[in-house]
Every structure is written in C-alpha cells, then in structure tokens.
C-alpha cells in the first residue's frame, strides 16, 4: 500500500514528487480482450497512468439495473492497469460528456420532469448516491492506499461550462467521501476564469483542459490554482467527428510541441485521447447548438494509438518526448501497424424490416404520438403507425423529429424527416389512404449543453392537414438479440446487385484466424451492422467515416455471421479492406 497526496508544489507518492503522465482509455469503448494490449502500449509510450471515465448509462441502461460484466467490468480493467505497473485516474462524473450518448447520464433519469440534473436537487442527488454506492465495491478497494492503482478521482466534469452551483459540488464531494473514496479529488475546466471559478470549490484541486498554447493556459490555471501541481487533465491531441463533416486531425508537429511545452513547464498531463476506440452499438452522442450534429461510430480521435490499437506517427513523436520526462521508461516498443486481411462475401438472405418487426417488440396503442422514452427504450429505433384517409393533397406535420424519420404509406416510401434539416412537414401522395408508417431512428443523444436529457422519438403534436392524428400504434424495436432476423431471412436473388430498404441483410464470411478487420461501407446507404451478434455500430454514406472497425476478439476461426439493417439501399457485396477509411480532412 502507498500514499498519494497533493503537495505544495507536486503530487506526492509516498512523500516523493510524482509527475502524472497519463493517457485516456475508456474501457467501454474497447473490447475487454484488448484492454491489456492498449494499456501495455500506453506504458511503452512512456506513460505511467491510465485515465478513464465511467459511463453511468452504460452500467444502468434502465432504472434499478447495474451491469458490471463483460465490457463493463471496471474492476477487471483497473486490475489490468495495475498488472502493467500503471496508476489510474477515475472520472465517475456523474456527467462525463465524452461524446457519449446523453453525456453518460441515464435517459430514464429524465422521465420525471421534476428531476433537476447537474444541480442541487434531491431526486437527482438520490440517484447519484445510488450510482456511487454501486461503484464503491469496485473502485474503493482499488485505491492506492489499499494496494490498488487509483490515485485520483474527479468530481463532475467541466462543470464551469454548465453551471456554478457550489452547494451541488459540496454535496457531490460528500457523497464521494461517504462511499469510501480517500484519494485526492480534482476538477477540470477549460482555462477560462469564469469556468475555473464556477467549476470548482475550495478543497478541490483545479486542473485544466486544452490542446494548444500550453504555456499561456497553464499560466491562467496557476492564477486560479495558486498552490499545488499544475495539471492539464485533458490534453486534446485530436478531436471527434460528426456525420456529414470532415475527419478531424491535428498535425503531429503541433501536438508534439504543445506537449513538450507543457512538460517543460513542469506540469502533469493526461493525454485525451491516448486511444479512443469505438462507439459500438448506439452509444455515440451528438451536439446541438442550433443544428443537430450526431457523432460518428469511430472515436479514433487522431490519437497516438488509432481506433484499431495501432501506433501512429503521433505515438512515436509523443514517445520520444515522454521518455525524456519519465526516468523509469523502458525500451520496449510495440510493433508497427500492418494491413488487415482483405475479404469478400455477399449478403445471401434478407427480410424487410416491416416483415420481421412483429418479432422485435410489442405494439401498444396511444391517443397521441408517444416518445421512444415513453415506450421504454432509450436508443435505436421505434415504429409508429396510424390509419389515414384524406381527399386531395395531404401534409404530415410533427412538433419535432428526434432524430430521423422514414415515412411510408402501405409500405411505399414517402420521404424522410431529418432533425439536422429542421424538417417538420412532409407532403403525402394525393388521396392518401391506408397505413401511414414512420420508422424513427435515434442517432445519438445530445452529450453537451442545455439539450441533454431530451426525449427521443416523434415529438407531438402530429397533424394531418392541421388535424390531430390521435390513434397510434407504436413499438420500440428490441435489437439486443437479432436472432429473429436470422430466422426470418429468405434467400436473396444472386442476380440482384443491391438491396432496397428498410431491410435486414444476412451473410457470412470465413477467416482462418481471428484478426482485426475493417468493414467497407462506402457502397451502402445508412444503417447498423452486427457481426456474430455484436453491434459494431452505425454507418452512413454521407461520411466522413467509410469503414467500421471490427475487433478480432468478436470473430472466430471459420464461419462468421454478418447482419446489416440497411435503411435505404446498398450493395449486396460485403468487403473487408486492409486499412481504415475515416474520411477526408480539412487540409
């Protein structure tokens, strides 16, 4: 067991100065069988600490649940960190941002509008207290003073950019102490005076988040944290991507110089990200500052270790710098990146979504259009249907669509309502009669700002030519198990070059041995892919991302299954390519 404290000038490990050289690695964005590899490569780059957020909503997707198994086994992750001789920083939020859906806050928390989020409100704090109590058996015994790797815990996350409620922060500190955290607490904010002042309280050590102008920003931090060690606990070495935009990269030379300046000033650092990983399934977040911008599946972040876990030019540049500041760094180095196997296959069976929908959830009746949240599901897709009978032109109007709705009449495509286009109305065919169907897609909950926590789905009222549509059937699609799709799929005509959606397509491919792959998606429209039942994420032809990362850990030697939900149309061909394609950049 050791002692870790914040001294007058330095972090102190057993009374001796200790510079934190950390890298961000989110366990929930990396397959658990690959955790050890990524942690080891962090050590090989010259780091001595691993930092991770804790995604509350991943562990508690529904009220009363708490999952610590498989890819959510935080205890195993921290043990892997310790096994590599590394320290750990844990950031349990409760809000984390992280470009993660809803900023890590559970959607069920918002079903009661009286709950006040990220402030001193009894119902919210009661939920937070329950969350922290469930984390305690995992993190508390793994603190450094009990023989574990955890040296710091962060309170909230960039709170100064959201609010300035000191009572809320005081109560969060008390809750964290009550469950048994004894290590020092820190806060993080951007180095702006108002944020640094509003995001912390006396007794919490302030750190900063930035990715450039290190000397200037450390000086600002010092003005607001006059004693103790300086730390940039989010050194942004890249950025995230949004659908329809470009792939963000940061020049290696610029990032390396900013890192060198930071370390030359004597500061500690947490490189955000060291390895970003992947927003598997429906976990990617979104931003909305007037225009809704959903975040892509890849969280590559232009980090030193890329999405597939391979060292980049930034890795080698950072390694050279870090080894000058880490006296115990060893000479071990990871292998250079190599091409992934190239494979070709086809989708051989398919089933229209509306055919198999009966097996993917239960219909319920409503006298108004319900949200997805009211249907009891907080991600993925929902189906709505109602009967219409109108003479002449017809216009469907909704209050808001969150986030994308494909509208059909008796199975025939009518159009799309898209949140990022601010669509609210859609013309129906003249003399529209029959079943009006809406396939609603949640593209990611907003993770930053005032729109955190908003419900998904069709937001009423729903009108036809100004008259309320008040008889609806709706269901949230349960896609946690896609075996009903496999069972219902029928052979595809081999002469057909493409598939017309919304449709589930089923195929198979063979590998000699499991290996990381890159699935090409450029020839497809928009949808989601499962491999061997594991949801590897969303794709969209608008880019920038045109490959999906496939962890070798989900594959098996021999035959492997692939299922895609294609919402529009796409090639029946399945291609795996040697290198990732994350899209065009802006330079």
């Amino acid at each position: 067991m050791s002692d870790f404290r914040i001294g007058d000038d330095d972090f102190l490990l057993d009374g001796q100065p200790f510079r934190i050289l950390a890298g961000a690695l989110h366990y929930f964005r990396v397959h658990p069988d690959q955790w050890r590899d990524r942690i080891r490569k962090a050590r090989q780059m010259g780091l001595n600490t691993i930092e991770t957020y804790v995604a509350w909503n991943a562990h508690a997707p529904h009220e009363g649940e708490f999952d610590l198994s498989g890819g959510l086994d935080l205890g195993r992750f921290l043990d892997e960190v310790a096994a590599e001789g590394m320290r750990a920083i844990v950031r349990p939020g409760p809000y984390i941002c992280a470009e993660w859906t809803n900023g890590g806050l559970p959607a069920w928390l918002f079903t009661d509008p009286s709950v006040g989020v990220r402030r001193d409100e009894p119902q919210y704090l009661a939920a937070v207290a329950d969350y922290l109590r469930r984390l305690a058996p995992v993190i508390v015994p793994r603190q450094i003073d009990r023989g574990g790797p955890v040296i710091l815990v962060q309170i909230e996350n960039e709170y100064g950019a959201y609010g300035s409620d000191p009572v809320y922060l005081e109560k969060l500190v008390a809750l964290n102490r009550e469950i048994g955290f004894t290590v020092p607490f820190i806060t993080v904010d951007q180095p702006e005076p108002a944020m640094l002042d509003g995001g912390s309280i006396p007794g919490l050590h302030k750190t900063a988040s930035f990715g450039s102008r290190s000397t200037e920003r450390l000086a600002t931090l010092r003005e607001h944290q006059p004693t103790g060690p300086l730390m940039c606990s989010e050194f942004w070495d890249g950025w995230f991507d949004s659908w329809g935009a470009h792939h963000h990269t940061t020049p290696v030379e610029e990032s390396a110089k900013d890192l060198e300046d930071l370390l030359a000033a004597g500061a500690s650092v947490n490189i955000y990200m060291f390895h970003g990983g992947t927003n598997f399934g429906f976990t990617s977040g979104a931003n909305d500052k007037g225009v809704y911008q959903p975040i892509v599946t890849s969280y590559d972040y232009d980090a030193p270790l890329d999405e597939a876990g391979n060292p980049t030019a930034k890795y080698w540049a950072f390694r050279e710098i870090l080894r000058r500041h880490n006296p115990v760094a060893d000479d071990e180095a990871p292998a250079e990146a190599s091409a992934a196997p190239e494979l070709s296959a086809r989708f051989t069976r398919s089933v229209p979504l509306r055919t198999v929908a009966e097996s993917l959830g239960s219909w319920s009746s409503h006298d108004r259009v319900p949200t997805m949240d009211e249907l009891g599901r907080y991600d993925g897709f929902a189906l709505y249907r109602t009967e219409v009978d109108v003479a002449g032109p017809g216009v469907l109007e909704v209050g808001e669509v969150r986030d994308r709705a494909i509208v059909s009449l008796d199975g025939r495509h009518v159009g799309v309502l898209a949140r990022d286009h601010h669509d609210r109305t859609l013309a129906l065919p003249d003399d529209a009669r029959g079943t009006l169907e809406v396939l609603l897609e949640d593209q990611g909950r907003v993770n930053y700002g005032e729109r955190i926590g908003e419900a998904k789905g069709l937001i009423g009222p729903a009108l036809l030519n100004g008259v309320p549509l008040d008889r609806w059937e709706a269901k949230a699609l349960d896609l946690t198990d896609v075996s009903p799709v496999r069972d219902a799929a029928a052979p595809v005509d081999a002469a057909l070059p493409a598939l017309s959606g919304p449709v589930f397509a089923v195929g198979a491919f063979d590998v000699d041995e499991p290996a990381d792959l890159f699935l090409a998606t450029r020839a497809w429209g928009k949808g989601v892919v499962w491999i061997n039942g594991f949801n590897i994420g969303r794709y969209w032809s608008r880019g920038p991302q045109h490959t999906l990362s496939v962890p070798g850990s989900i594959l098996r030697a021999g035959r492997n299954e692939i299922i895609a939900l294609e919402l529009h149309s796409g090639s029946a061909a399945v291609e795996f390519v040697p290198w990732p394609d994350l899209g065009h950049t802006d330079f």
Side-chain angles (χ1 to χ4, degrees):
M1 292 184 287
S2 296
D3 177 68
F4 190 83
R5 299 185 182 181
I6 296 175
D8 293 337
D9 300 304
D10 302 288
F11 292 110
L12 300 174
L13 178 60
D14 293 330
Q16 298 301 310
F18 180 82
R19 190 207 292 257
I20 296 173
L21 301 174
L25 172 60
H26 300 155
Y27 62 97
F28 45 85
R29 281 181 160 130
V30 180
H31 192 281
D33 292 346
Q34 297 177 329
W35 286 344
R36 190 67 174 270
D37 171 77
R38 307 318 193 235
I39 296 165
R40 179 175 295 119
K41 287 172 179 173
R43 176 178 57 77
Q44 292 170 336
M45 195 175 80
L47 301 178
N48 57 28
T49 303
I50 294 294
E51 175 272 310
T52 185
Y53 281 125
V54 180
W56 182 5
N57 58 2
H59 292 281
H62 296 90
E63 189 171 8
E65 297 179 5
F66 207 80
D67 187 2
L68 288 164
S69 64
L72 298 173
D73 190 344
L74 177 58
R76 173 186 166 187
F77 178 78
L78 293 173
D79 291 344
E80 300 273 23
V81 171
E84 283 296 320
M86 307 277 280
R87 308 300 180 185
I89 299 171
V90 179
R91 302 206 282 173
Y95 165 77
I96 64 172
C97 184
E99 292 72 60
W100 186 260
T101 186
N102 223 35
L105 296 172
W108 51 260
L109 193 63
F110 298 83
T111 55
D112 182 346
S114 67
V115 175
V117 176
R118 301 187 75 189
R119 61 181 174 87
D120 177 24
E121 193 280 315
Q123 298 170 94
Y124 174 63
L125 288 175
V128 172
D130 180 70
Y131 160 56
L132 292 174
R133 281 193 294 269
R134 291 172 182 263
L135 280 182
V138 177
I139 304 175
V140 168
R142 290 178 171 87
Q143 295 178 101
I144 193 167
D145 57 2
R146 308 192 189 191
V150 179
I151 57 175
L152 291 174
V153 168
Q154 183 179 292
I155 301 297
E156 247 280 352
N157 188 60
E158 291 192 323
Y159 187 64
Y162 179 85
S164 57
D165 183 348
V167 175
Y168 165 58
L169 294 178
E170 289 167 1
K171 290 187 176 182
L172 268 187
V173 170
L175 289 174
N176 278 273
R177 288 297 184 207
E178 285 170 10
I179 66 167
F181 286 153
T182 52
V183 296
F185 291 164
I186 60 173
T187 58
V188 61
D189 282 286
Q190 296 176 45
E192 300 289 339
M195 294 184 185
L196 288 167
D197 289 341
S200 192
I201 55 175
L204 296 178
H205 191 72
K206 297 175 183 176
T207 71
S209 54
F210 56 83
S212 61
R213 296 169 19 217
S214 296
T215 304
E216 170 191 338
R217 284 164 169 166
L218 287 173
T220 301
L221 174 61
R222 179 54 82 198
E223 292 174 3
H224 296 265
Q225 181 59 57
T227 63
L230 290 171
M231 182 173 182
C232 175
S233 58
E234 281 193 23
F235 176 72
W236 303 325
D237 56 359
W239 207 244
F240 57 89
D241 294 342
S242 300
W243 291 114
H246 64 272
H247 172 49
H248 290 80
T249 59
T250 303
V252 174
E253 298 79 9
E254 290 182 14
S255 288
K257 182 181 185 305
D258 286 316
L259 178 61
E260 178 62 62
D261 290 347
L262 192 157
L263 296 178
S268 288
V269 68
N270 175 47
I271 295 170
Y272 191 99
M273 297 290 299
F274 163 69
H275 170 55
T278 305
N279 295 313
F280 295 118
F282 303 120
T283 59
S284 54
N287 286 283
D288 192 333
K289 300 176 182 179
V291 176
Y292 176 75
Q293 295 179 299
I295 291 164
V296 304
T297 299
S298 170
Y299 202 63
D300 177 86
Y301 213 84
D302 194 34
L305 212 62
D306 70 14
E307 183 181 10
N310 295 312
T312 66
K314 193 170 289 182
Y315 181 99
W316 301 114
F318 282 13
R319 185 173 187 267
E320 181 178 347
I321 293 167
L322 288 163
R323 288 166 59 80
R324 294 200 295 267
H325 295 272
N326 184 354
V328 297
D330 58 38
D331 293 328
E332 186 180 3
E336 296 275 4
S338 58
E342 294 184 69
L343 303 169
S344 296
R346 288 186 63 82
F347 290 118
T348 56
R349 295 182 295 140
S350 70
V351 58
L353 170 60
R354 67 196 308 258
T355 300
V356 75
E358 299 303 320
S359 302
L360 299 174
S362 301
W363 292 101
S364 56
S365 299
H366 306 265
D367 57 8
R368 59 175 177 80
V369 64
T371 66
M372 280 183 65
D373 299 50
E374 290 170 329
L375 296 174
R377 185 160 293 278
Y378 305 111
D379 59 25
F381 297 84
L383 274 174
Y384 299 82
R385 67 187 182 193
T386 188
E387 297 301 314
V388 298
D389 186 350
V390 59
V395 174
L396 173 67
E397 180 181 0
V398 296
E400 188 179 359
V401 57
R402 299 179 189 157
D403 302 306
R404 197 166 186 271
I406 299 175
V407 182
S408 61
L409 183 65
D410 286 340
R412 295 193 175 191
H413 180 78
V414 174
V416 173
L417 293 168
R419 175 175 177 173
D420 57 342
H421 292 169
H422 301 285
D423 293 335
R424 295 179 60 245
T425 62
L426 183 67
L428 302 182
D430 287 352
D431 302 320
R433 293 178 180 85
T435 302
L436 183 71
E437 296 174 312
V438 179
L439 174 61
L440 191 289
E441 179 187 6
D442 158 33
Q443 294 185 287
R445 291 176 183 260
V446 172
N447 56 257
Y448 185 89
E450 297 301 322
R451 299 197 70 160
I452 290 173
E454 61 188 7
K456 290 294 187 175
L458 285 181
I459 309 302
L463 312 173
L464 180 57
N465 287 349
V467 178
L469 289 167
D470 56 8
R471 293 182 181 177
W472 287 90
E473 288 186 307
K475 70 161 65 178
L477 297 185
D478 183 356
L479 298 174
T480 54
D481 177 8
V482 290
S483 57
V485 172
R486 180 189 313 114
D487 297 340
V492 172
D493 185 346
L496 290 177
L499 299 165
S500 177
V503 64
F504 284 100
V506 181
F509 60 94
D510 294 312
V511 296
D512 294 332
E513 295 293 337
D516 294 340
L517 301 176
F518 301 109
L519 175 64
T521 62
R522 191 178 288 271
W524 299 345
K526 189 179 196 306
V528 187
V529 177
W530 293 261
I531 291 183
N532 293 335
F534 184 91
N535 189 333
I536 64 170
R538 303 174 172 103
Y539 63 88
W540 198 353
S541 59
R542 74 187 301 184
Q545 178 179 359
H546 293 296
T547 54
L548 289 176
S549 182
V550 182
S553 300
I554 69 171
L555 303 179
R556 50 184 174 254
R559 182 58 52 100
N560 293 266
E561 178 189 68
I562 179 169
I563 295 178
L565 170 56
E566 171 58 60
L567 300 176
H568 298 295
S569 62
S571 172
V574 176
E575 300 288 340
F576 295 92
V577 294
W579 300 103
D581 179 1
L582 297 182
H584 64 283
T585 64
D586 61 350
F587 62 86

